[in-house]
Amino acid sequence: PAHRSGLYAEGSWHPRAYMELLVASGRVFGKSWAARRAMGIPIFLLTLLLTWKAATAVMRERGAGPLAPALAVFLLCTSPFAIKGSVHMDIDNSLLTAGCMALTWACVAGETWTMPRRAALAGVVFGLALWAKLTTPLAVLAGVFAYEVALRRPRRAVVFVTAAGAIGAALFLCTWYAYCSAKGIDWRVPIRYTFGALVAQSSRAGAGAGAGLAGHVRVVVRVLLWFSPFLATLALAGAAGAVWRLLKRPASSVRGLLACISLAIFLGYLVVGRVVYGFPKYHFPALPLFCVLAADLAVDWLTRGPGRARGLLAIPCTLALAFAIHVTWVGDLLYQTDYRLKEARATSEEEFRQEA
């Protein structure tokens, strides 16, 4: 539909910050594929810095040593998913991830500020993050909303998200409208496209090729295989524990805030967006937060004595259960890409050669 409506020709499916960076990079470093892919490396370094700052805030709450945040950075640096994403030419795994981490850090840094200052900071960063994409920054705010509600501060949740959202939306719309006027682009195109895509994907979430339990399990397994089942298990266990503590004994916690934001992104895109040819690019912004939560849980286990290590039994048990479910309902554990599409193409090419 996007091709037929001319959106592809305009190059305006999403706000064009990433496209402008590509153009600027091409003017400086050339237009080779290597140069274009290399643009993701400095963006990934910025993401690493923001990951370090988020991990530092979490480890400070725990009273861990100054080098403890390095574990989160190490997990992110060595993740095949992160390495692939850092040089993959796409918005979600580069500029959008850095923008969402910046927005997350703005919410963390402003946790002890007055409401107007915190909302203003988050609103400005939210408006800038929208220049990358209109979807995932909303998931970050949804995670902050859930965090405030878990702390039994529903009024604060509504006021903060509304104020930050309004400031960010106003900043984005004003700058985007000015940019589109200068470029001769219809400023409504990305908004219509994003809204239409969300509605269409939500309506198809339980239908089509992915219908049924096997289809949903296949999506989850593809995501977990890219994240690494071990990292994802640690991170989800840490996130679940943080949310449980918030609900059981509400108290401000950076760990709890990161858990709510990461779950909002991770779980939201299991329903909307899902995977693209087996690659979970929409989930990529949750990866740095997962690394922080996994590192935090590992530090917790390692600093509480041998008795705490019994919690490690949860990891092989979870993985064994996941493996059993996958073998029972899905099939091939390494079913990474949409082989049906490849098989259809190969079959059609073979039939074409036979007819020729």
Side-chain angles (χ1 to χ4, degrees), residues 3-313:
H3 288 268
R4 290 194 297 271
S5 63
L7 299 184
Y8 183 78
E10 290 191 38
S12 305
W13 291 7
H14 304 292
R16 300 177 70 174
Y18 182 75
M19 184 179 294
E20 291 293 345
L21 280 177
L22 275 178
V23 172
S25 175
R27 289 172 180 166
V28 176
F29 301 107
K31 298 181 180 180
S32 66
W33 284 109
R36 292 176 179 180
R37 292 180 184 276
M39 190 194 77
I41 296 177
I43 298 175
F44 183 62
L45 293 176
L46 174 60
T47 303
L48 287 176
L49 175 61
L50 294 169
T51 302
W52 170 273
K53 295 182 74 67
T56 299
V58 171
M59 299 302 178
R60 187 183 297 121
E61 281 187 344
R62 187 173 295 287
L67 295 180
L71 179 57
V73 176
F74 174 79
L75 290 174
L76 185 57
C77 284
T78 57
S79 166
F81 190 25
I83 295 170
K84 163 82 172 173
S86 65
V87 293
H88 182 65
M89 289 178 56
D90 211 331
I91 302 170
D92 300 81
N93 38 267
S94 56
L95 193 60
L96 181 62
T97 298
C100 288
M101 284 301 295
L103 177 56
T104 298
W105 175 244
C107 296
V108 170
E111 177 72 9
T112 58
W113 293 6
T114 60
M115 175 61 75
R117 289 182 63 198
R118 187 188 183 207
L121 174 63
V124 170
V125 181
F126 176 63
L128 296 175
L130 288 176
W131 266 88
K133 208 168 188 180
L134 300 181
T135 49
T136 313
L138 294 174
V140 175
L141 287 189
V144 178
F145 183 87
Y147 168 75
E148 295 289 350
V149 170
L151 289 177
R152 299 173 188 172
R153 302 188 300 207
R155 182 177 178 275
R156 180 184 173 96
V158 173
V159 171
F160 172 76
V161 171
T162 302
I167 293 171
L171 174 62
F172 167 74
L173 288 174
C174 290
T175 54
W176 175 245
Y177 183 79
Y179 172 87
C180 291
S181 298
K183 295 283 188 176
I185 299 172
D186 185 355
W187 66 275
R188 297 166 296 180
V189 168
I191 299 172
R192 288 202 306 258
Y193 173 79
T194 301
F195 180 76
L198 288 175
V199 171
Q201 292 191 30
S202 298
S203 64
R204 291 198 305 263
L213 179 60
H216 293 298
V217 172
R218 183 178 292 117
V219 170
V220 171
V221 170
R222 287 174 177 175
V223 173
L224 293 181
L225 284 174
W226 272 107
F227 269 85
S228 162
F230 308 99
L231 174 64
T233 301
L234 281 172
L236 290 173
V243 171
W244 172 253
R245 284 189 290 272
L246 279 179
L247 296 174
K248 185 178 180 182
R249 192 172 302 171
S252 296
S253 164
V254 176
R255 184 182 303 105
L257 177 58
L258 298 188
C260 290
I261 294 174
S262 64
L263 290 175
I265 298 172
F266 185 81
L267 298 178
Y269 279 120
L270 287 179
V271 178
V272 178
R274 293 151 68 94
V275 295
V276 180
Y277 295 112
F279 185 68
K281 67 171 190 172
Y282 301 119
H283 298 80
F284 196 92
L287 179 61
L289 298 175
F290 268 35
C291 291
V292 173
L293 293 169
D296 175 63
L297 187 63
V299 169
D300 179 36
W301 280 340
L302 293 173
T303 56
R304 291 206 181 190
R308 186 70 176 177
R310 287 195 298 270
L312 290 171
L313 291 175

Side-chain angles (χ1 to χ4, degrees), residues 277-278 334-350:
Y277 295 112
L334 299 177
Y335 193 78
Q336 280 281 324
T337 55
D338 198 339
Y339 285 108
R340 288 171 297 179
L341 180 61
K342 292 184 177 181
E343 290 167 358
R345 181 177 177 182
T347 301
S348 61
E349 290 178 351
E350 180 64 26

